[in-house]
Amino acid sequence: MCKNENHIIRILNCRQGFLVLLFAMQFFIFNSFGQQKKIDSLENQLKLSTADTLKINILNAISRQHLAKSEFEMAIKSTARAAAVADKIILSRDETMVRLGKKFKANVLNNAGVIYWYQSNYPKALENYLKSLKIREEIGDKKGIAAGHNNIGIIFNLQGDYPKALEHYYKSLKAEEDLKNKKGIAESFNNIGITYYYQGNYTKALEQHTLALKMSEEMGDKLGISSGLTNIANVYDGEGDSAKAAGNRTMMNDKYSKALACFLKALKIEEDRGDKQGIAVALQGIAIMYGKKEEYAKAMEINLKALKIEEELAEKSLIANSFINIGVINIHLRKFEDAKRYISNGLSLSKEIGSNDAIKDSYGALSALDSATGKWHAAYEHHKLYIIYRDSLLNEENTEKTVRSQMNYEFDKKEQADKLEQEKKDAIVTEEKQQQRILIWSVIGGLFLVLFFAGFMWKRWRITQRQKIVIEKQKAIVDEAYYKLDEQKKVIEEKQKDILDSIHYAKRIQTSLLTSEKYISRNLNRLIKA
């Protein structure tokens, strides 16, 4: 390509860059103006509000708007104002209002923790999260307790205190399981998996992330799916590094390819969601994989793209990682001055935010840079620092604490399962006893009915017997009277017979003495004719 052609291309690139920059500036101005209008509108609503609970909600909304503009101090001031209103409610004598005020105070403290987390001010974030958790435990806010343990675990993880991170993650997982909150359970699985990944326990990490991904896919949770894919990609990346150290290049390439595929899937989901932070994380992962596949130009291009988004978000932890990653790529490209500048910036930022894992990576990168430039003594010193931070993260005591946290969770879970099983058995025994009592009372009731019926029948029998005796007596009287009557009848009939016999006898005598009427009549007729 000739010089004129190069000059023309440079001019075009400059013009395109200027237009892109101008468009970005216009977008930022209009976006900021729109957010400021929202803040002004919320402030006006606040002035008109009389209810304290509404004031807290408005102040929380104002805080979120300031956070979106990376106006961290203003966001903190808004949460402080909200906390003051919550304190006012807590001073109420009404028990219900006191509880409500405490719940608002816990939420406000949690929001403050989020703001400090965005600033990568982990000590202040942890302080507010712990205060919030204490109040939530006091009022028995189960959902808030689960979220609180999760947030505290994240801070300890970022600080490289993995045992404490796991302790709180497992407590969060237990609380989410009690609530049957699948989304919270999946998030806990992911966070536990991340901690195992940082400890180099890739088997346990992959197990946890696979559980989380499966659950997120069942729910159709896009953010959960993206997180699961990103975390699984990181595990494959770690396994690829282990294979590389063992000299197994076939396995190394296979793991790196799987990691890249997962990162690309995650990036597509985050782009569809429009989540800049998620896009930046996915781009970081993709850049790292291209770097490990020795495609350094492409890795640099993607890393710079990720860095630009991270700087827009003022996400210090991601910026620190990108600085270190870009520095490592520059070592491979033999741009040693650029490499030193980026790695040093990454180290400073890592120390500022207190990320021991990033500090460890920074010293590892500086050791590699010193080795590449022949500074053997400096390489040795930086490598010692790398080992110190690595061992502080992965020492025996921390490993024991990690195992203890898992065992405590599993023990609590088993204890709860045993308790539920015992409750089931107790319920069965209680039910059986209840059934036995019912049966006994039924038998007693039946016997009582039988006795009652027998008594009733015996009483009826006695009445019947008395009635029978009376009837028999009456019958005897009637029979005796009938017998007397029969005797009288017989006497009368005898007398009647005697009378009739006498009459018949007299009649025969009379008949025998008197001439018959026919004879007289016949003689008269004869005389007349004569």
Side-chain angles (χ1 to χ4, degrees):
M1 187 178 289
C2 65
K3 291 182 179 181
N4 289 336
E5 288 174 332
N6 285 331
H7 181 67
I8 292 168
I9 290 170
R10 279 198 297 273
I11 292 172
L12 289 172
N13 287 338
C14 288
R15 287 177 179 175
Q16 288 173 352
F18 175 74
L19 289 172
V20 170
L21 179 62
L22 181 63
F23 175 78
M25 288 175 64
Q26 288 176 338
F27 176 80
F28 178 77
I29 291 168
F30 284 121
N31 190 46
S32 298
F33 180 72
Q35 286 174 334
Q36 188 58 48
K37 281 186 70 176
K38 288 180 182 177
I39 292 171
D40 293 340
S41 174
L42 289 167
E43 288 286 0
N44 289 332
Q45 289 180 37
L46 184 64
K47 290 175 184 177
L48 298 172
S49 300
T50 55
D52 289 334
T53 53
L54 182 58
K55 286 179 182 178
I56 293 173
N57 288 330
I58 293 171
L59 285 166
N60 284 336
I62 292 170
S63 177
R64 286 193 294 272
Q65 290 299 321
H66 284 303
L67 182 60
K69 294 175 68 179
S70 298
E71 296 174 348
F72 300 118
E73 291 301 320
M74 295 299 293
I76 289 295
K77 285 180 181 178
S78 296
T79 58
R81 291 164 68 190
V85 180
D87 287 334
K88 181 183 172 184
I89 298 173
I90 293 170
L91 293 173
S92 169
R93 294 183 180 180
D94 184 271
E95 188 176 338
T96 304
M97 291 303 294
V98 170
R99 178 181 169 80
L100 183 63
K102 286 182 177 181
K103 188 169 184 178
F104 272 115
K105 182 67 178 285
N107 291 338
V108 169
L109 288 167
N110 185 74
N111 292 342
V114 172
I115 296 166
Y116 284 121
W117 175 24
Y118 267 84
Q119 287 181 284
S120 298
N121 188 342
Y122 301 141
K124 290 294 288 183
L126 185 60
E127 178 188 333
N128 281 274
Y129 283 148
L130 288 169
K131 287 179 180 178
S132 175
L133 177 61
K134 185 178 179 181
I135 295 172
R136 284 168 168 171
E137 287 176 335
E138 182 184 331
I139 62 176
D141 178 9
K142 292 184 179 180
K143 191 173 181 181
I145 290 168
H149 280 300
N150 182 67
N151 291 340
I152 292 167
I154 289 170
I155 299 302
F156 278 126
N157 210 342
L158 290 168
Q159 290 180 318
D161 193 340
Y162 303 135
K164 284 186 179 178
L166 277 176
E167 177 188 342
H168 286 280
Y169 284 150
Y170 275 118
K171 285 181 179 179
S172 178
L173 175 59
K174 176 70 168 52
E176 296 292 6
E177 287 176 338
D178 290 343
L179 291 167
K180 294 182 173 57
N181 179 15
K182 287 188 176 181
K183 194 170 183 179
I185 294 169
E187 187 177 350
S188 294
F189 282 147
N190 263 330
N191 289 335
I192 292 168
I194 289 168
T195 310
Y196 281 126
Y197 164 76
Y198 282 141
Q199 293 181 304
N201 190 340
Y202 300 130
T203 302
K204 291 291 291 183
L206 189 60
E207 175 189 311
Q208 296 292 316
H209 292 319
T210 302
L211 287 170
L213 179 60
K214 184 180 179 181
M215 193 168 284
S216 297
E217 287 174 339
E218 288 174 357
M219 293 185 292
D221 177 14
K222 295 293 184 182
L223 175 59
I225 294 169
S226 173
S227 298
L229 288 167
T230 300
N231 294 329
I232 289 172
N234 286 327
V235 175
Y236 284 140
D237 178 23
E239 289 179 328
D241 290 344
S242 298
K244 182 180 180 180
N248 190 340
R249 296 192 64 83
T250 302
M251 181 179 286
M252 177 194 77
N253 290 327
D254 177 60
K255 296 295 182 180
Y256 287 160
S257 296
K258 285 181 177 179
L260 181 59
C262 287
F263 278 129
L264 289 169
K265 286 179 182 177
L267 176 62
K268 178 66 171 60
I269 293 171
E270 295 299 341
E271 286 175 340
D272 291 341
R273 292 180 64 248
D275 185 340
K276 286 188 175 182
Q277 188 178 31
I279 292 169
V281 170
L283 287 171
Q284 264 195 21
I286 292 167
I288 290 170
M289 298 325 301
Y290 277 120
K292 291 184 178 182
K293 291 168 76 69
E294 301 181 3
E295 297 182 37
Y296 301 121
K298 193 158 189 175
M300 179 65 77
E301 176 190 344
I302 295 170
N303 250 322
L304 290 171
K305 188 176 179 182
L307 179 61
K308 184 180 178 182
I309 297 171
E310 291 155 8
E311 288 175 335
E312 287 176 7
L313 297 171
E315 183 61 69
K316 290 183 180 180
S317 60
L318 291 178
I319 293 170
N321 289 333
S322 285
F323 280 159
I324 298 165
N325 294 338
I326 292 169
V328 171
I329 293 169
N330 276 314
I331 294 173
H332 290 292
L333 293 173
R334 305 193 68 76
K335 295 180 179 181
F336 300 128
E337 289 299 320
D338 288 342
K340 186 174 182 179
R341 177 164 50 86
Y342 275 107
I343 296 169
S344 297
N345 288 340
L347 177 59
S348 298
L349 197 52
S350 300
K351 288 180 176 179
E352 179 187 332
I353 63 178
S355 175
N356 289 337
D357 192 67
I359 294 170
K360 175 204 71 175
D361 290 341
S362 298
Y363 282 128
L366 285 173
S367 178
L369 174 62
D370 292 332
S371 296
T373 54
K375 299 177 181 178
W376 309 115
H377 179 71
Y380 174 70
E381 292 299 323
H382 283 135
H383 184 69
K384 282 200 302 183
L385 289 168
Y386 167 79
I387 295 297
I388 289 169
Y389 275 92
R390 185 198 66 184
D391 289 350
S392 71
L393 296 171
L394 302 174
N395 59 36
E396 186 177 347
E397 182 184 356
N398 281 350
T399 303
E400 288 176 359
K401 288 179 180 177
T402 297
V403 173
R404 197 179 305 122
S405 294
Q406 183 180 354
M407 287 178 67
N408 286 339
Y409 163 75
E410 290 175 353
F411 176 77
D412 289 342
K413 193 172 181 180
K414 186 177 185 303
E415 188 177 37
Q416 186 179 22
D418 291 342
K419 184 180 177 182
L420 290 172
E421 185 65 28
Q422 187 60 45
E423 286 176 356
K424 287 180 181 177
K425 289 179 180 178
D426 291 344
I428 292 169
V429 170
T430 303
E431 187 177 355
E432 287 176 350
K433 287 182 178 178
Q434 184 69 20
Q435 289 177 349
Q436 286 175 355
R437 281 196 294 268
I438 292 169
L439 181 61
I440 290 167
W441 283 110
S442 297
V443 171
I444 292 171
L447 289 172
F448 178 77
L449 288 173
V450 169
L451 290 172
F452 175 79
F453 184 72
F456 174 78
M457 293 301 294
W458 181 76
K459 188 176 181 180
R460 292 299 304 167
W461 179 80
R462 288 195 63 188
I463 293 170
T464 304
Q465 288 299 314
R466 285 199 298 268
Q467 289 176 343
K468 183 179 179 182
I469 292 168
V470 171
I471 290 169
E472 285 177 349
K473 286 181 179 179
Q474 290 176 347
K475 184 174 181 295
I477 293 169
V478 171
D479 287 345
E480 186 179 356
Y482 180 76
Y483 176 75
K484 288 179 180 179
L485 183 62
D486 188 55
E487 288 296 321
Q488 290 176 355
K489 181 182 176 183
K490 287 180 179 179
V491 171
I492 292 169
E493 285 178 349
E494 285 293 330
K495 288 180 179 180
Q496 285 178 344
K497 184 179 179 184
D498 291 342
I499 292 168
L500 288 173
D501 289 343
S502 298
I503 292 169
H504 291 149
Y505 179 73
K507 186 178 179 182
R508 283 197 301 272
I509 293 171
Q510 184 181 2
T511 304
S512 63
L513 294 174
L514 294 176
T515 304
S516 68
E517 188 178 343
K518 289 181 180 182
Y519 178 77
I520 293 170
S521 177
R522 190 170 58 247
N523 285 323
L524 282 174
N525 289 329
R526 184 173 60 78
L527 289 174
I528 292 171
K529 289 178 180 182

